[in-house]
Amino acid sequence: MSQYVYFFGEGRTDAPALDKMLLGGKGANLCEMSQLGIPVPPGIVITTDACKRYVRDNRFPTGLLEEVLVRVQQLNSATGKVFGNPDRPLLVSVRSGAPVSMPGMMDTILNLGLNSETLEGMVRSTGNERFVCDSYRRFVQMYGDVVLGMEHHDFEHILNDVKKSVGAASDTDLRAGDLREIIRQYKDLVRRITGNDFPEDVHEQLRGAIEAVFKSWNNDRANIYRRLNHISDDLGTAVTVQSMVFGNMGDTSGTGVAFTRNPSTGERKFYGEYLMNAQGEDVVAGIRTPYPIGRLGDDMPEVFGQLDEVQKKLEAHYHDMQDLEFTIQEKKLYMLQTRSGKRTGVAALRMAVEMVDEGLIDRKTALKRVDPESIPSMLAPVFDPEEKKKAIKEKRYLTRGLNAGPGAASGIVVFDSWNAQNRKIKGEKTILVRMETSPEDIAGMEAAEGILTARGGMTSHAAVVARGMNKPCIVGCSSLHVEERSGFMAVATEDGRSIIVREGESISIDGSTGEVMLGHLPTRPSEIQQVLDGLVPEETSMVAKYFKKFMSWTDEVRTLQIRTNADTPRDARIARTFGAQGIGLCRTEHMFFEGDRIAAMQEMILSDTVSAREKALEKLLPYQREDFIGIFEAMEGLPVTIRLLDPPLHEFIPHDEGHMGELAHKSGVSLEKIRVRVEALKEQNPMLGHRGCRLGVTYPEITKMQVRAILEAAVTVKKKGKSVYPEIMIPLVGHIKELRNQKELIEATAQLVMRESNTRVDYLIGTMIEVPRAAIVADEIAQEAKFFSFGTNDLTQMAMGFSRDDADKFLRDYLRLGFYERNPFQSIDQEGVGALVKMAIERGKKTRPDIKLGVCGEHGGDPTSIGFFHNAGLHYVSCSPFRVAVARAAAARAALGV
Amino acid sequence: MSQYVYFFGEGRTDAPALDKMLLGGKGANLCEMSQLGIPVPPGIVITTDACKRYVRDNRFPTGLLEEVLVRVQQLNSATGKVFGNPDRPLLVSVRSGAPVSMPGMMDTILNLGLNSETLEGMVRSTGNERFVCDSYRRFVQMYGDVVLGMEHHDFEHILNDVKKSVGAASDTDLRAGDLREIIRQYKDLVRRITGNDFPEDVHEQLRGAIEAVFKSWNNDRANIYRRLNHISDDLGTAVTVQSMVFGNMGDTSGTGVAFTRNPSTGERKFYGEYLMNAQGEDVVAGIRTPYPIGRLGDDMPEVFGQLDEVQKKLEAHYHDMQDLEFTIQEKKLYMLQTRSGKRTGVAALRMAVEMVDEGLIDRKTALKRVDPESIPSMLAPVFDPEEKKKAIKEKRYLTRGLNAGPGAASGIVVFDSWNAQNRKIKGEKTILVRMETSPEDIAGMEAAEGILTARGGMTSHAAVVARGMNKPCIVGCSSLHVEERSGFMAVATEDGRSIIVREGESISIDGSTGEVMLGHLPTRPSEIQQVLDGLVPEETSMVAKYFKKFMSWTDEVRTLQIRTNADTPRDARIARTFGAQGIGLCRTEHMFFEGDRIAAMQEMILSDTVSAREKALEKLLPYQREDFIGIFEAMEGLPVTIRLLDPPLHEFIPHDEGHMGELAHKSGVSLEKIRVRVEALKEQNPMLGHRGCRLGVTYPEITKMQVRAILEAAVTVKKKGKSVYPEIMIPLVGHIKELRNQKELIEATAQLVMRESNTRVDYLIGTMIEVPRAAIVADEIAQEAKFFSFGTNDLTQMAMGFSRDDADKFLRDYLRLGFYERNPFQSIDQEGVGALVKMAIERGKKTRPDIKLGVCGEHGGDPTSIGFFHNAGLHYVSCSPFRVAVARAAAARAALGV
């Protein structure tokens, strides 16, 4: 028979190992503190094994209750009290404690062990009737609520009625007699509702409490919490039964919460709060204002000295910042809990770097301490917190949406791309507000300071593009209605107002929180960003120094290369400041939207003949060449992967009559002809339509122009003495013959340019793997492709049959129901889409063992996905410039097996 | 050194085996005829191996020309003539002959061996100068054209000029002297164009001709033909060099073409045509009208007797109808060719059945003789051929599109679904003409006699739905412009006219040929259809009797079950008459478009709350139940697979203002609210949107209603004493949790219905495999699914990234360029999509070895795909009722390994 219960206290424990999986996080830490000689009220831990058996068999495992009985004897001797004995009654707390922290589970039960007899005994021994009666009242209420499943508010009714009848304004006004009356009524209520008396037998009380903890493992809150936090259902919870100490026994008693370092800033300074003559819940409840921990040094210097020693010991022991709970009972200090403390991103960074400097942890441990997802918030611009408070006070807080792109932005509201660009030319800052965005809005998004949409989820067009541009962005703001043509938006505020905001008024959006406010709130760039941009010298910013140091450590351990998705020299340069090692995806189509280019592009699309198309493409050639020269120069010495034209042609021409008329006027093509062409280009499912290499196959002249621009740019840059490594990437390949067709065109054109310029350029030809079929026949495709770049956005869409633009309608339900743990557009679906990626890698390598493998979908910037890609054997991931630092950190963690 | 050349003639051959792969079809048959003692002019065959080596090395294989030289000596002795000898010149023909018939290759060269000297010798020996000069002229022209690569029309110019100058009306008016002048000018032309004299050396002539045949293997026409007919590029062609015989040596000479049975009707009667004093090309050219073969019995009874004997011998030998070419030279019969004759579908059927009855072939051979694809044309209604001729004569022939659904139909032109239904109610027959069709047109397509669309390919919505309904259908008629709202269409005819056809005028369409004609052409059902429908007694139709017999043989050998896709009792009954063994796909959504149902469906979609939706669904329940009762009764004793609601909800509500207004009026819901709802339901990529089980997950009440209808119907039918086997199919599953979610709903609802009715119904729950992810995790999915039905339409769309509605834009180029051999929506892409099917089968069986496997996509009716499914191990295919017979025949062939 296995042992289910272990003892801690008196500077020791009999637990065989300080194993959180067995003892729960709380239990293990209490055992450990005890072993360290830190004053801890003695207690026992019932293991997670016992819980798992209970859950499986729906009854206590054989022998458990007997073991508990024996262990309670041990508690009696350790405390000098006796459980259930009226003369020296031992009271205990009962708490759940899972291997990982789970706030969704059972509430604590305090003061267990009180009954009619021990109550009177305790009154006698403490001489404090009110304190003891209040403790009993609380116990009956907690036990009724948590163990007996009664309604909390039924107890509150009784409490309030009695308060009213005796004229008590607050709980503390109640006298011992009042409390006895309340207890009487509570017990009546228990009898009425449950059909049984409230248990007088303290062992029955304990048994009930343990069973309630076990049952709470599968309550709804716990299940939902586990699902949301990706915690296994199989862990089970431990139960800690600990002898009570009281912080509310008078002015020499108290209780508090502390951190070994500042959890907001990371500063190495003991930090915390306490209250005298209070219990733990009073500190949290916020009725009385607690004192800063430093004051304890004045009040009780001896106790403070002891506490300070303990906190140092604990941090040194755990090699991490600790979150502590303590109680002082009549000048005696007891530690009730220690655990790794939660901290902000910046604090995590500072602590990690400083602890390495202090020799407390090594670099690898430091790398594990900073969540890569916390990095963007360190880099994002912020509102002045005072200004924000003011705005809320002035009722300028409007609504909240999904925080799709971190950072703060303020500007004039505009409802279309055109106005965003126009106002930018005039030097005005704007916020682009749309029902949802489309590729036609790209130029406007680029011009605006921030983006706000009524529709869409975290992976909608607006969200993805905005993150790529590092623009603050809020999406899925459903209380917003946007009338784009009429130039206003209507907001239903949470407090029931309906506010109309017209074009020209100012709003402020906080993309880190999703908040939308009326009016202009001043913003400032983050400290780190200011240093990276060279606006502020590095020496002046400690946090920027820490950031750089930390990032350099990531490079020491990671094996994945980090590239960036960049379409402009500016993006390329930014990415390099963040440490990008090349461009993994340069989308050529974004280049076509600017200025005169779109006109030439539209001319090409409206052309009827190859030669007319070639003429229009001829106009685009110099622009493309210049773009590529700029990018190659910005990325000097690093590889640049350029994707040939990908989106369907209809994305480049307008669809409404007004804009079609404009186009007719500008281009000299008849409106009727434009209409016919627009109609002909219309697609039912553009995602699966005439795009990618399908364009290059049907319009080889487009491929030729693009390849000429790439090669001519490479030649130009090379002639300046700079090294250049173009990688030409063919999108949407599904069949080897598509690839061959385009490859032949590329090679012929490249030969031509190299002969013309008498310059040799080394370049690679490769393909996206984004159509499921390509993954299936990757062995064939690798015959022609020197590299694979996984386009996991489209691969996800096609393999799962999810349109990213439409999936929100059901994906929300799917996540709620737990079909998928994470949004598959945010974090790759490893079992399904991931299996295709692995298949393609395996098959591709079979044909070409040295094939270069990367990913350029959104997932390339997602830490969890990066872990998967590392394990799958990719050579690099590519992500937006502002995710490069995230990806470096995530790649380091992946290499460390985190 | 391998042997490249073989001899035939004199009743023998030295070819080691009569192997078409080595000798080509023509060569092998000539060798075989020779061996059979049939009179064949002696000749030699140069093997395909020689050709393959030539193609590989771009030069003649070592030793080939020496071998040819030796073999020509053999020809000399066999004919008693000498190649190149002026006294007794041997002339030969040179022909290509690939292992499979390839009309795209080199033209025949006749009379090779003539030069200045042999010309005169032959004039002397035949005493017929004109005949010999004419032969030489033809030879020079053919050789110049085919071997020397000169322009045919340059020769024709000379010919015409000389004719004009001597006042000759036709070639036969030219005298020997004129012909000599022409030859002189021809030779001048050759010298001018090629820079060389026309070869006098007969061996040089022969070498050139052989090389031209070898080269023709890779000419454009041949390449295109091979691609179109799915012939491997690796076969190579043989070359036949055969001694010439002349049908134009006077009134006792002649030439003809014959078939051992009638190739149009299949009748067992010697059939053919001949011309006296003529060469083969004269029969084909159509300048002189040939005589029916019977007349030869009167003209030359002895030769006819010999020919009749030969034809009987050849058919008996080859066990198949033969297509023969013969020449009579001065009363002596020579056979020039025999091969299996091409035949119409009906003829193939009749011959196959009669040959089994005659003991000429066995049933398995008979099954291989009828192309399953020819069956629909046997069943389709037809125009009276005289009426069609008349229409063409009267210039009522308008244009031609893609023959998407076989059969003839006439009716009044309508341009929308509504008018088609309205006119049907009035008893009028209509043809629905649209730019393209969408699911909203289903009711109109059902009401119309035939469908004509300007857009779309063989697998467009119109084509697929029309074939499913067995409606004559023409799509992709690009010379058509349809103004649906204005109620007219404009046709650009091939002869340059522009014709406007307004609503109310009549047109006739022949879906078997793609022809569109103005006016009403009377149609009649096919003979077989009349018998199957019981309109005509079986005894009166020989062809119907043959059809039934043939189909019964298919059932003897096939192992694949054939089910049908049927949504109505009527379709189910039709499919049973064609031999369906169950329903593989009953689409419940089609049921929602009729009459009041659409109103209830729309009410459901416009509802805001679950209870309002349930109320609307309550109205649909009785309809669904009645539908299912009808289908279960029609399919008594056979399994019926019912797919739960699949299409996105927006397919059920109108999108234009007019119809939205109507709906607002009808439903009492405000137009504004309808607009908002329509807007909310809009999808960028509906194919990948909120549909399939995703609807059932977000609206469980829909699933519940449908399952209740299915089970209540099953109970009702079972209570009537009829056996019923419902199989409930969940569409668009990608994750096992989706399947589990729906399965739980289904089981709970089914339990409820069975308890209520106190009746137990055996039913299965299974899933479609149509999302690539589902194929990848099929092992998991098989834990919950009792059957898999491959939805290869959607699987193709997602795995290849092709939207069926849009792919025509590039798929045409893809097929032209040979990326895919066949349209992947017509015939499954075995390498890509097929690999997913196989993967799912393998993984599904691993979890559940007895899992039931079928396919219900369009591919289920495609013979090539059926072959693939048979080999992949499916248990059944399901196709539209009118493809069931096709599928039975194809399944039989698959079982025979054809």
Side-chain angles (χ1 to χ4, degrees), chain A residues 51 65 96 115 375 462-463 498 607 620 661 672 747 754 776 884:
Chain A
C51 173
L65 294 177
S96 60
N115 59 17
I375 293 176
S498 180
S607 298
L620 286 169
E672 182 50 31
E747 284 177 342
M754 293 196 284
I776 297 166
V884 167

Side-chain angles (χ1 to χ4, degrees), chain B residues 737-810:
Chain B
K737 290 189 183 170
E738 292 171 300
L739 178 54
R740 260 189 210 132
N741 172 293
Q742 291 292 291
K743 192 177 169 184
E744 280 166 19
L745 265 181
I746 293 169
E747 283 177 342
T749 309
Q751 285 303 325
L752 208 64
V753 174
M754 293 195 284
R755 264 205 308 277
E756 285 166 9
S757 61
N758 204 17
T759 305
R760 197 182 140 68
V761 174
D762 287 323
Y763 67 96
L764 297 182
I765 298 176
T767 181
M768 302 272 291
I769 301 286
E770 53 187 337
V771 175
R773 192 185 193 283
I776 297 165
V777 300
D779 44 349
E780 273 192 21
I781 289 180
Q783 289 167 20
E784 301 290 345
K786 287 268 174 66
F787 64 87
F788 283 172
S789 179
F790 289 92
T792 52
N793 296 355
D794 280 2
L795 194 60
T796 297
Q797 297 198 79
M798 294 185 217
M800 307 183 80
F802 289 173
S803 164
R804 193 164 63 180
D805 295 315
D806 307 312
D808 277 349
K809 280 170 195 159
F810 54 88

